[in-house]
Amino acid sequence: MVNRSFSVWFAGAAMLLSACADETEQDRTSKVKQPAGQPVIEITSHSDGERILGSREITFAGTLTSPSEITGVTLMLGDVTAPVTWDQATFSAALSLANRGNSISVAAANAAGETTAVTLEVSYPFLTFESGQNASLVIGQPDFESSDTGTGADQMMSPWGHAAYAGGILYLPDYGANRVLGFSSVPSANGASADFVLGQADFGLDVSGYARDRMDQPASVSADGDKMAVALQTERVFLYFSLPQATNALPDVIVGQPSFTGTESNCSAGRLNNINSVRLVNNKLLVADSNNHRVMIWNSLPTQDGEDADLVLGQSDFSTCSAGTGPNGMRYPNDVWSDGKRVVVADSSNDRVLIWNTFPTENGQAPDLVLGQKDLNASGSYATSASTFDWPAYVASNGNQLFLGDCGHRVLVWNSFPSANSAPADRVLGQGSFTGTDNLTTRSTMDCPSGFAFVGDERLLVTDWGGVRYLMFKSLE
């Protein structure tokens, strides 16, 4: 557009110079029409595809430039026109985002009759649930009342830990059958069959082992982009540098052992002892090293077998692995979650959840707050209420909400990320109330929920260990 405008201006100027060769520079300038062009809009407050965390109330803003006077600016959130403040150089609007997808369009017009429009898509991750809500789908069983076991493509032996959804593929750990089931697309009907299996040569097998092509008790899957990790409770983590998509696809690196056949378990920077969770995020690796009462952190993804961790939480150094309480201790941490900025740990045997508001940088660094207890010095309650737990097993967050799988047969939901000690949950799944303790196999109850996966923008997958199944819950709005 700049080149076109310049060409028009140059041609017009040349014609006038030819016709008015004797006129002064001032005369010539007054007769040359100034170039017209579209306004330029630059969004400075947000970026396309951004996930908005925290408050849904945002200020959307940017800058304006134009070769002629700006005569109007219009801003739309979805199909609704929003009030916008503007001048010749800037614009801004106070917006309240809807759950999940939001389309924001800005249009500017100038005195030359030229207009420009820019559209950004931003997301406000949020799932709307009501307490005691029914699940919409079950995987691993033909219906919501069955709890059979098996090693077929449509069965489970004992699901445990986080599933993962990445690249359109759903990965479900089956701890009891020493395998991870892969679904090439999200099931749309109860009792769907997996498309491939990891850790076994075929469906129907449940062979365990210590080798690159064998899994022993997989207890959580985590994916970040095109990379994936599988926590094997027997002291090891498998890393895949591309998402596996075929039966018995092999991992690239092992963490926690010097080789794929290693069986060491000790208290050191490179060894693990009974692990239940792994988290890949922003090229970092976090592992809940449960029997060593600590969380191990690699600040960059390991590329060689058996690499040492960079940081430890729950202990003062890598050679100490004792159970503890208080601000700096842990007792059988079963799970760890992070978005690369915050860290959350299910400190299970202390019946509490620990939260770091900024990513830790020191060994043994104390968390900023605690859930399930009145303060960081308290532990052990074994109670079921909105603010106390009965062995908290697994935690997850979409950035705005926090979800806790409590072996008191329920999932607790905080609709905003907790910011105070002992903050109560807002909703409960698996029970009709916060004090309910039913462990029946139905559409609305569960038995020791032990993991999560966010499936697209509208669904939450819950690992129902006692029900030998995975339950899908769909957001109500």
Side-chain angles (χ1 to χ4, degrees), residues 53-68:
L53 305 182
S55 174
R56 67 174 71 238
E57 310 299 326
I58 67 169
T59 299
F60 193 78
T63 61
L64 302 166
T65 56
S66 175
S68 61

Side-chain angles (χ1 to χ4, degrees), residues 252-423:
D252 297 286
V253 165
I254 187 169
V255 177
Q257 298 296 326
S259 69
F260 282 98
T261 57
T263 59
E264 302 175 23
S265 61
N266 58 47
C267 184
S268 66
R271 299 294 174 266
L272 303 166
N273 186 2
N274 190 264
I275 60 174
N276 285 281
S277 174
V278 62
R279 185 69 62 173
L280 276 179
V281 59
N282 293 358
N283 206 43
K284 299 177 186 291
L285 177 71
L286 297 87
V287 176
D289 188 12
S290 302
N291 269 6
N292 281 333
H293 310 292
R294 63 186 185 175
V295 168
M296 304 277 272
I297 299 175
W298 285 258
N299 286 326
S300 59
L301 193 65
T303 57
Q304 302 293 325
D305 293 344
E307 283 189 29
D308 287 351
D310 300 298
L311 195 70
V312 61
L313 301 177
Q315 305 292 337
S316 59
D317 54 51
F318 289 108
S319 60
T320 305
C321 292
S322 56
T325 58
N328 307 103
M330 294 181 188
R331 188 184 300 273
Y332 202 87
N334 195 77
D335 187 26
V336 58
W337 171 88
S338 178
D339 58 1
K341 298 178 181 178
R342 299 168 290 190
V343 173
V344 182
V345 173
D347 188 14
S348 301
S349 291
N350 280 327
D351 284 299
R352 63 183 186 175
V353 171
L354 306 174
I355 298 177
W356 287 257
N357 290 327
T358 56
F359 202 90
T361 57
E362 299 179 359
N363 288 341
Q365 184 172 325
D368 297 293
L369 59 100
V370 62
L371 301 178
Q373 304 293 337
K374 64 179 181 180
D375 57 43
L376 286 164
N377 291 307
S379 64
S381 63
Y382 304 100
T384 53
S385 71
S387 57
T388 55
F389 319 134
D390 183 3
W391 212 85
Y394 282 90
V395 291
S397 176
N398 56 13
N400 288 323
Q401 297 166 285
L402 184 67
F403 299 83
L404 171 65
D406 182 7
C407 271
H409 317 306
R410 61 192 187 152
V411 171
L412 297 178
V413 183
W414 284 261
N415 279 336
S416 59
F417 208 87
S419 59
N421 288 342
S422 198

Side-chain angles (χ1 to χ4, degrees), residues 73-91:
V73 175
T74 303
L75 189 145
M76 298 190 71
L77 176 58
D79 57 1
V80 178
T81 301
V84 58
T85 301
W86 60 275
D87 55 30
Q88 293 299 308
T90 64
F91 69 90

Side-chain angles (χ1 to χ4, degrees), residues 210-268:
Y210 299 90
R212 191 179 181 191
D213 62 348
R214 288 287 178 266
M215 291 186 180
D216 193 66
Q217 301 172 334
S220 282
V221 182
S222 179
D224 183 31
D226 59 353
K227 297 179 176 61
M228 193 177 90
V230 178
L232 304 173
Q233 199 173 67
T234 48
E235 296 82 51
R236 64 195 61 218
V237 172
F238 281 177
L239 294 181
Y240 299 80
F241 293 154
S242 60
L243 293 175
Q245 301 182 46
T247 289
N248 218 15
L250 298 178
D252 297 286
V253 165
I254 187 169
V255 177
Q257 298 296 326
S259 69
F260 282 98
T261 57
T263 59
E264 302 175 23
S265 61
N266 58 47
C267 184
S268 66

